[in-house]
Each structure stands twice: as structure tokens, then as C-alpha cells.
Amino acid sequence: MPRNQNTFSSLTALAVLRRRLANRAVHAGWRWMQQAGAVTARTPGRLRFGAIGHGTRLAFPQGTVFGERWIRLGDYCIIGEQVTLTAGMMPDLDLGTEPMLVLGNGVVIGRDSHVIADARITIGDDTFCGPGVYITSTNHSYDDPHQPVGKQWPRSAPVEIGPGCWLGTGAVVLPGARLGRNVVVAAGAVVRGEVPDHAVVAGAPARIVRRWEPETGWQPPLRTPAPVPIPDGMTSEQLRGLAELAELEELEPEQA
């Protein structure tokens, strides 16, 4: 092989090695930044929340956060990357003595979501929000047709989301909305007004498409069977044994 070709191959291999090393270094550095930049009760960084519960974690990088003195986060909440949490229309306002944004225990807010509290917003325990959810207690008004909408004074109304709800990707909750317990909001739905307990809503504006009642169950009926709950005290080894037994029972008819 000619000498110049050997030199070219060596340079190419060296460039590839450098790229791999740089790639590993970047990923390792980013993982370190994610760990070091996460906000918890022990490592709040510059953020001084009114309360931040045990086990709660705000992933790095955080989105816009201000008015944190009037924001209270319960225990074991998970706040994804680039989530905006704000209290008040702008930073450095005195909002009084009462909290403006309250998250219960075990609340999950997916990445790129926004929770904008110009009036009080409460989110109940164990409510999960998918990515890109938008919850706001303020909306622009458009009363005056001669003024730009963005320059007109907005309207505000409290928002209440009950415990155990699920808000799908891209869902929007508007001022004045009140969601009951265990409400499911479909992806992309726009919710306003009151939603009763155990309802599924979809559309823009959102409407009830399914509801559970003690006397009749789910109406319309669910199209898939409900999952069988795991019995209390069941170990992982026992579950594995049950799965293997089920596989054997499926094979027996074929072998017969």
C-alpha cells in the first residue's frame, strides 16, 4: 500500500477516535449537569419556593420560574425539563400572604409544560400531566375590536384540578376550569368550565365522551377489559412464576 494512503487512513482513524471521545465527553458532561442542576429541597439553587416537599425534583434545565415565594410543591413531585412555573403576571410582584400555585403530593408535570398562575391554581395529589400541557388562570381579552388583543387587560379566574387526574400531551386548561377527581383529559383537548369526577373529556372545547357512575359503571362501556390488579403481598418471583404457568397453559392445547 502506498505511503500516502497509509497516512490518510491513519488521519481518518484519528479523526474518528477524536469524535468518539468528544461525543462521550459531551454526553458525560450533560449527564453531570442534569444531576448537578436538578432542584430539590436540599439543592434549591437560586429558587426559593414557598415550600418544596421531600423527594420532589425539578429536572435540569428548568424553564421560566418566578414568583416562587408563592409556589408550593408537595412531596415526591416530578417536574420535567423546561417546565414553566410562574406566580403573578411578572417577576418581583408582592402577591400577598396566600400561595398562588399549589401542587399536591406526587404530581407529575411533563417536559415543556407551562403552569401560569395569575390567580390561584391548585393541582391535586397524584395528578399526572403529559408533555406540553398548558394550565393557566389568565387569558387575553378581546372586548375592544380597535385595540390589539395583546394590549387589552387579561381576565383571570382560579383553576382547580382534582386528585388523580391525567392530562394528555398538549392539553390546555383555561381560567375558571374545575376538574373533579380522576378526570382524564385527552391529548390536545381545551378544557374550560366544570368537569365532574371520573369523566373523560376530549375536543376543543372539551366535552365529556365517557363517564363512570356507581350504578352503571363506564358509559359508553370500555372497549378493552380493565387490567387485573396485582394482589397485595405478591412478590416479583411469584409474578414471574404465574407468567410462566400461563405460557405453559397456552402451549398445552397446541401439543395435544
Side-chain angles (χ1 to χ4, degrees):
M1 183 178 292
R3 182 176 178 181
N4 59 347
Q5 189 169 350
N6 287 335
T7 302
F8 178 78
S9 299
S10 299
L11 291 173
T12 301
L14 182 59
V16 171
L17 178 60
R18 285 176 176 171
R19 267 193 231 102
R20 287 179 178 174
L21 292 175
N23 180 272
R24 291 178 182 176
V26 168
H27 282 275
W30 181 249
R31 284 193 296 271
W32 179 87
M33 290 175 64
Q34 287 178 311
Q35 292 295 323
V39 169
T40 66
R42 291 186 177 182
T43 58
R46 64 173 180 82
L47 301 176
R48 295 293 181 267
F49 289 102
I52 179 169
H54 176 73
T56 289
R57 183 183 182 91
L58 283 76
F60 178 86
Q62 291 89 40
T64 300
V65 180
F66 62 74
E68 58 267 28
R69 176 182 164 189
W70 292 272
I71 299 175
R72 295 183 181 176
L73 310 176
D75 297 334
Y76 300 105
C77 295
I78 300 174
I79 313 298
E81 296 178 12
Q82 297 291 358
V83 169
T84 293
L85 299 174
T86 64
M89 285 190 176
M90 61 188 69
D92 303 323
L93 295 178
D94 187 345
L95 304 177
T97 59
E98 295 299 317
M100 191 70 69
L101 173 56
V102 179
L103 272 61
N105 299 327
V107 172
V108 177
I109 300 182
R111 63 177 299 154
D112 298 319
S113 293
H114 295 68
V115 186
I116 312 296
D118 296 338
R120 185 181 175 94
I121 293 178
T122 58
I123 301 178
D125 295 347
D126 301 314
T127 284
F128 289 12
C129 301
V133 169
Y134 192 92
I135 303 169
T136 181
S137 58
T138 294
N139 206 355
H140 290 289
S141 60
Y142 50 88
D143 302 63
D144 188 343
H146 306 295
Q147 289 292 329
V149 173
K151 291 185 177 182
Q152 298 187 45
W153 194 255
R155 288 190 173 89
S156 299
V159 171
E160 183 177 344
I161 298 175
C165 294
W166 164 250
L167 280 65
T169 300
V172 176
V173 180
L174 295 177
R178 293 172 58 89
L179 279 65
R181 175 184 296 272
N182 287 20
V183 169
V184 175
V185 179
V190 179
V191 183
R192 60 184 181 184
E194 190 161 348
V195 180
D197 295 347
H198 310 297
V200 180
V201 297
R207 290 178 171 82
I208 296 175
V209 296
R210 179 172 278 119
R211 189 175 178 185
W212 183 87
E213 295 287 357
E215 299 80 11
T216 58
W218 285 105
Q219 295 298 327
L222 298 175
R223 288 175 290 181
T224 55
V228 178
I230 298 174
D232 293 336
M234 180 74 72
T235 66
S236 58
E237 289 77 12
Q238 291 171 325
L239 288 172
R240 192 178 301 112
L242 288 174
E244 292 173 355
L245 180 61
E247 291 177 0
L248 289 174
E249 289 177 349
E250 289 179 1
L251 291 174
E252 284 180 356
E254 296 178 1
Q255 295 174 351

